[in-house]
Each structure stands twice: as C-alpha cells, then as structure tokens.
Amino acid sequence: MEGVLTPEIWIAVAEKTRIPELRRTTRDEPDYDKLMRGRLKILDQHGLKLSDIQHVIGTLLPLAGAKAFLDDLRAQVQTIILSDTFEQFAAPLLRQLGQPTLLCHRLVVEQDRIVDYKLRVPEQKQKAVAAFKRLNYHVISAGDSFNDTAMLCEANVGFLFRAPENVKRQFPQFQAVEAYADLTQLIQEAMAKANQDIPA
C-alpha cells in the first residue's frame, strides 16, 4: 500500500516530528523485525504515542492518481491489498481509497503507547499469495520494496512499481515501471495471457 497507493507513513511522521531516523523504511531495511524494533525504540525515546502518529496520518492523501488506478483495477479484476502496515494506521487512507480489501498487521497498544506489534504470520504477503494459488487463482502482484519481493516471487506474475534503484538492481527479474498507466497495461497484458492459457 505505502509507496504504491499512499505516502510512506513513517516518512511523514519523520518529517512532522523532525526525527530523521524514522525515515527508514522497507526500501532500506530488508529485515522487517529489525526495522520495527528500531521504530518502537525511537517512539519510546521521544514519547510519541499512537494518537500522535494517527494525527499525522489524518493529514495524508493517497498518491496522485492512486484512487483512479485502483478504481479502474477493481472494475476489471478482484483486487486485494497486502501490506505490512497496521490496522490502526490504515483506516483513514482506506476511506479515501474507497474501502478496498486490506490484509495487514496489528499494533499492541497500552494507554495510547505502542508497545509491540503482531504479524498475522511471518511473510504474510507471500503466504497469502500462495494460499490464493492453492485456491486456483492466477495471481498478479505489484510492489515497491524488499518486503514485497517474496510475494512477487510467489505470484504467477510480479511487477515492481516505483521501486528504488537498490531493489531494482537486486531483483532484475521483475519488470519495473513508474506510472500507473504503465502498471495498468502490464496487468492487463498479464490477465490476457492468463486467459489464453486457460484450457477451453
């Protein structure tokens, strides 16, 4: 979701609070637990609460063109967002995107203080795609960060969207595009090919 349809929440929080260490995302750190443990430590050091972060999120808008892209995609095919964000963060952005289906994680909160986080399961994106394939769905996926690459590998077809150069260099097997129109075209081509491959 973040970086593909919405701004990066932690970067927005970093800019609002002027804590540059919070700018680090899954584009920079492949180890998600290491990234989150570091974030929780920073929040604790600076006394930042869940409500402080939610206030920042409440000021954010989806990326330009994201809702039109998502509306168009949902009109053509079943669409699910797999994200490593948290339910307590996502709600305001989902409302602006027309309430698409989102599978993500949960924060552990005590008296407005974020004390931990709970993954649905480790590698939930990859495992969700694997489950869809076991149900005989043909899965086309797109993402932008290190935490998306297991999902892209698992999918029948995977694309990188607005990925940083370090991710594109490490995963050259995935076609990379920068514009929603180009991503829409790749998805439509992959759908057409999948339909051709289905036995009559």
Side-chain angles (χ1 to χ4, degrees):
M1 184 174 83
E2 295 176 54
V4 174
L5 298 171
T6 69
E8 291 279 358
I9 289 171
W10 290 102
I11 290 178
V13 172
E15 292 174 352
K16 178 68 175 180
T17 60
R18 299 182 182 177
I19 302 172
E21 295 85 356
L22 287 176
R23 291 186 62 86
R24 193 165 177 80
T25 71
T26 52
R27 290 173 167 232
D28 311 298
E29 176 53 66
D31 186 330
Y32 188 72
D33 185 67
K34 179 180 178 182
L35 178 65
M36 277 305 302
R37 295 296 165 201
R39 287 168 170 169
L40 294 179
K41 183 177 179 181
I42 292 167
L43 295 181
D44 192 54
Q45 289 172 342
H46 291 269
L48 289 174
K49 308 295 186 183
L50 173 61
S51 56
D52 298 319
I53 297 173
Q54 289 174 326
H55 178 75
V56 175
I57 296 169
T59 69
L60 300 179
L61 299 173
L63 298 176
K67 186 175 187 303
F69 161 76
L70 191 58
D71 287 345
D72 182 54
L73 190 62
R74 293 169 74 189
Q76 299 178 61
V77 68
Q78 295 181 67
T79 304
I80 296 174
I81 301 171
L82 302 175
S83 177
D84 282 326
T85 192
F86 302 96
E87 292 177 354
Q88 295 96 327
F89 287 179
L93 293 166
L94 290 180
R95 283 195 293 272
Q96 296 180 72
L97 289 169
Q99 294 293 358
T101 299
L102 169 70
L103 305 180
C104 64
H105 308 298
R106 280 196 63 79
L107 295 167
V108 179
V109 182
E110 295 178 358
Q111 296 181 336
D112 201 25
R113 178 172 167 263
I114 303 171
V115 297
D116 203 354
Y117 73 99
K118 293 292 184 183
L119 298 180
R120 293 293 172 185
V121 291
E123 292 290 354
Q124 64 106 1
K125 296 182 182 183
Q126 179 269 328
K127 290 180 180 175
V129 169
F132 295 143
K133 289 170 64 181
R134 287 196 296 273
L135 292 168
N136 291 321
Y137 285 104
H138 184 89
V139 181
I140 302 166
S141 65
D144 71 325
S145 297
F146 283 114
N147 66 326
D148 296 316
T149 55
M151 170 188 73
L152 299 182
C153 289
E154 183 67 45
N156 296 99
V157 184
F159 304 115
L160 287 171
F161 182 71
R162 296 182 180 171
E165 289 302 319
N166 59 332
V167 175
K168 289 190 282 190
R169 280 195 307 270
Q170 194 164 333
F171 295 91
Q173 67 267 42
F174 301 121
Q175 192 167 350
V177 293
E178 301 295 318
Y180 288 119
D182 294 332
L183 182 56
T184 297
Q185 182 175 344
L186 289 178
I187 293 171
Q188 290 173 338
E189 290 171 356
M191 289 167 56
K193 185 176 186 306
N195 288 333
Q196 289 173 359
D197 292 342
I198 296 174

